[in-house]
Amino acid sequence: MDYERAKSYLEKRGQTHLLEYYDELSPNDRELLLKDIEITNFSAVTNLSTANAKRGKITPISAVTVNDIKRRSAQFESVGLDFLRAGKVGAVLLAGGQGSRLGFNGPKGKFNIGETRYLSIFEQQMANIAEVTEKSGRHFHLFIMTSRLNNDETVGFFEENKFFGYPKDKIHFYIQDVAPTCDYNGKVFLDERHRVSLAPNGNGGWYSSLVNSGLARIMERDNIEWLNVYSVDNVLQRICDPVFIGATILKGVRCGAKVVRKVNAEEKVGVLCNENGKPSIIEYYEMPENLKNKTKKGELVYRYGVTLNYLFNVHDLNLTLSGKLPYHLAEKAIPHVENGVRITPQAPCGYKLETLVVDMVKLMGTCLAFEIEREKEFAPVKNAEGNDSVATARELLKLNGVEL
Ligand code: UTP
């Protein structure tokens, strides 16, 4: 894109301020700016008012409970193992986040959760995977989504650690797409005078980014029918758990979600429920107080918290493409250029635009809520201290026999 085209392109979108410093830039910086403008998805900021849209009618959802699962685990597991042995299931690790709450400088997966030895989150998760591949006798394709900010360090870390013993040809890294950040009026920020402010587009960007990266060809070539998507921060989670896979497939649904019984109404997890009769997830900060606190026979009515471990049918995931996922506005302090100078505000000054994996569940139409045992499978490392922190995750790992 040359200057003239960029100018008319931005005029149509009300974003010409991005060219404010163009005349003062070096030829090289001009090129970088025009390239950024070309890849920026401006449609994300055109309808800020429709983001964070109103919800439909919320009702509770029933789950296949821990007890149900115990009773039928052999049957579920055998179906799941059949699918794994046939190579029909792959996994996607979401490692594109910035882990700002943890305050760790670098990819979160490199964080040391060991005590007497260095045990990275990545290594612990790869050990969890080994339990499954030993049982099934086959390695599944593992797609790892990184961001522009942490990709090189993440890939380098896997290389240094010889891919934690996993076959190299089964691990595929890809970089998450970006979305612009903007002020409260939808004007896109400049990160520097020659760079548009672009940030990872939220964890809902994982599938479109996978497709855009060209890796979908591997799924087509190898007939991968299901993808187990999981987060980088739960060190106890089971990945490609055959029992979960079998339960979802036998139920005949298009996706499954591993859920955990909330410890109390205030626990900060998204809740799986029905919205206008279809499975849907309401984030904890969007849950109306009266529903959040509602109980029946001493139990929370909306009790199933999501753990960011989902199984999606690949065919149906295509429904989530073509801009169907809404953007959520995350109000943040965003460094940007003001009056020609880059500033780093301490208070929120605009929005990051994020799509969320939770919205994909709604688009699937059906979803199995699969209850897991918290102490065995849910140890998220979100915060430096307090709830869901390094200390709580370490305790749970030790309870499960992991030497730290
Ligand atoms: P979180 O929602 O906890 O975000 O991510 P985060 O960026 O890791 O942490 P905070 O909120 O800044 O403290 C849940 C999962 O989604 C991934 C994360 O890496 C984590 O596995 N994620 C999040 C992405 O892959 N890309 C994103 O843009 C955001």
mmCIF file of all heavy atoms in Angstrom, residues 99 152-153 174 212 307 385:
data_model
loop_
_atom_site.group_PDB
_atom_site.id
_atom_site.type_symbol
_atom_site.label_atom_id
_atom_site.label_comp_id
_atom_site.label_asym_id
_atom_site.label_seq_id
_atom_site.Cartn_x
_atom_site.Cartn_y
_atom_site.Cartn_z
ATOM 1 N N GLY A 99 0.033 -12.593 30.466
ATOM 2 C CA GLY A 99 0.204 -12.974 31.870
ATOM 3 C C GLY A 99 0.487 -11.789 32.774
ATOM 4 O O GLY A 99 1.312 -11.862 33.674
ATOM 5 N N ASP A 152 9.449 -16.031 19.630
ATOM 6 C CA ASP A 152 10.830 -16.504 19.486
ATOM 7 C C ASP A 152 11.325 -17.147 20.780
ATOM 8 O O ASP A 152 11.980 -18.191 20.762
ATOM 9 C CB ASP A 152 11.765 -15.352 19.093
ATOM 10 C CG ASP A 152 11.432 -14.854 17.690
ATOM 11 O OD1 ASP A 152 10.582 -15.495 17.037
ATOM 12 O OD2 ASP A 152 11.998 -13.835 17.264
ATOM 13 N N GLU A 153 10.957 -16.530 21.902
ATOM 14 C CA GLU A 153 11.411 -17.064 23.184
ATOM 15 C C GLU A 153 10.748 -18.420 23.475
ATOM 16 O O GLU A 153 11.371 -19.326 24.032
ATOM 17 C CB GLU A 153 11.071 -16.056 24.284
ATOM 18 C CG GLU A 153 12.026 -16.139 25.451
ATOM 19 C CD GLU A 153 11.726 -15.099 26.522
ATOM 20 O OE1 GLU A 153 11.190 -14.014 26.196
ATOM 21 O OE2 GLU A 153 12.046 -15.385 27.691
ATOM 22 N N TYR A 174 2.467 -21.367 16.016
ATOM 23 C CA TYR A 174 1.946 -20.321 15.139
ATOM 24 C C TYR A 174 1.681 -19.059 15.957
ATOM 25 O O TYR A 174 1.460 -19.120 17.166
ATOM 26 C CB TYR A 174 0.686 -20.773 14.385
ATOM 27 C CG TYR A 174 -0.542 -20.998 15.223
ATOM 28 C CD1 TYR A 174 -1.561 -20.042 15.281
ATOM 29 C CD2 TYR A 174 -0.716 -22.172 15.943
ATOM 30 C CE1 TYR A 174 -2.706 -20.253 16.030
ATOM 31 C CE2 TYR A 174 -1.854 -22.382 16.703
ATOM 32 C CZ TYR A 174 -2.846 -21.433 16.743
ATOM 33 O OH TYR A 174 -3.971 -21.642 17.490
ATOM 34 N N ASN A 212 -5.271 -18.914 9.413
ATOM 35 C CA ASN A 212 -4.470 -17.915 8.692
ATOM 36 C C ASN A 212 -3.000 -18.298 8.601
ATOM 37 O O ASN A 212 -2.297 -17.889 7.681
ATOM 38 C CB ASN A 212 -4.579 -16.538 9.365
ATOM 39 C CG ASN A 212 -5.979 -15.968 9.234
ATOM 40 O OD1 ASN A 212 -6.744 -16.402 8.389
ATOM 41 N ND2 ASN A 212 -6.321 -15.024 10.094
ATOM 42 N N THR A 307 -12.887 -24.074 32.840
ATOM 43 C CA THR A 307 -11.468 -24.165 33.211
ATOM 44 C C THR A 307 -10.540 -23.929 32.019
ATOM 45 O O THR A 307 -9.355 -24.207 32.086
ATOM 46 C CB THR A 307 -11.180 -25.557 33.797
ATOM 47 O OG1 THR A 307 -11.450 -26.551 32.793
ATOM 48 C CG2 THR A 307 -12.027 -25.827 35.027
ATOM 49 N N GLU A 385 0.267 -13.899 43.953
ATOM 50 C CA GLU A 385 -0.077 -14.260 45.337
ATOM 51 C C GLU A 385 -1.587 -14.449 45.459
ATOM 52 O O GLU A 385 -2.338 -13.984 44.619
ATOM 53 C CB GLU A 385 0.324 -13.122 46.281
ATOM 54 C CG GLU A 385 1.810 -13.095 46.549
ATOM 55 C CD GLU A 385 2.240 -11.813 47.231
ATOM 56 O OE1 GLU A 385 1.367 -10.993 47.584
ATOM 57 O OE2 GLU A 385 3.458 -11.649 47.386
#
